[in-house]
Amino acid sequence: MQPTLNGDLGNGADFVAMEKVSVRFGWRDPERGDILALRHPRDPKKIIVKRLIAIQGDIVQGVESAEAHRIPEGHGWFEGDNLRKSSDSNSFGPVSLGLVEGRVLAIVWPWHRATGLGNEENPSYEDRITYRCRKNSKASKA
């Protein structure tokens, strides 16, 4: 998720605040632009942090290929902010929202990097989402 997270690698990793309650109880569905912690779809023992860029019903074009992917129900398309060095949906495809563990809210350490992390859609993704199911629709877990 560089440069959003761990942008100052010389000083170690960022520590983040993560909210799990609304994800677990379904009070707030993940939305495009959210930074989410999720279980790696190929190695569930690992937790990865990625940005949700497309939700069910959307059509997104992969970074490395011209292949378009329609996001199935209960899934999302997750990418790191550093696309060329990220292990994300470009390598493993749409991911079940059931693997989401929580929403990253803020960087809390180191102090000089402390900041809130809102729901921000990265403009570089916009040209690859060829169809949005609904402009402001939310994802929902299957």
Side-chain angles (χ1 to χ4, degrees), residues 3-116:
T4 304
L5 298 176
N6 302 325
D8 188 6
L9 286 178
N11 291 326
D14 290 339
F15 287 78
V16 298
M18 185 170 74
E19 180 274 319
K20 293 183 170 187
V21 176
S22 69
V23 172
R24 260 204 195 127
F25 293 107
W27 297 338
R28 181 189 179 276
D29 289 331
E31 299 177 9
R32 291 182 198 99
D34 281 351
I35 298 174
L36 300 168
L38 59 143
R39 298 220 169 259
H40 194 290
R42 293 187 181 152
D43 185 358
K45 292 179 183 177
K46 288 184 182 177
I47 299 290
I48 58 176
V49 176
K50 303 294 173 189
R51 189 180 304 274
L52 178 63
I53 69 155
I55 59 173
Q56 64 186 25
D58 290 352
I59 298 174
V60 63
Q61 181 179 342
V63 171
E64 298 295 324
S65 70
E67 183 180 357
H69 304 269
R70 179 178 292 277
I71 310 305
E73 184 175 342
H75 288 68
W77 188 268
F78 293 87
E79 291 186 352
D81 286 352
N82 187 345
L83 292 176
R84 302 294 177 218
K85 293 184 178 183
S86 181
S87 174
D88 55 27
S89 287
N90 287 292
S91 58
F92 43 73
V95 176
S96 170
L97 294 175
L99 296 176
V100 173
E101 292 287 319
R103 188 167 52 101
V104 177
L105 302 175
I107 298 171
V108 296
W109 185 262
W111 291 118
H112 71 278
R113 289 192 35 82
T115 187

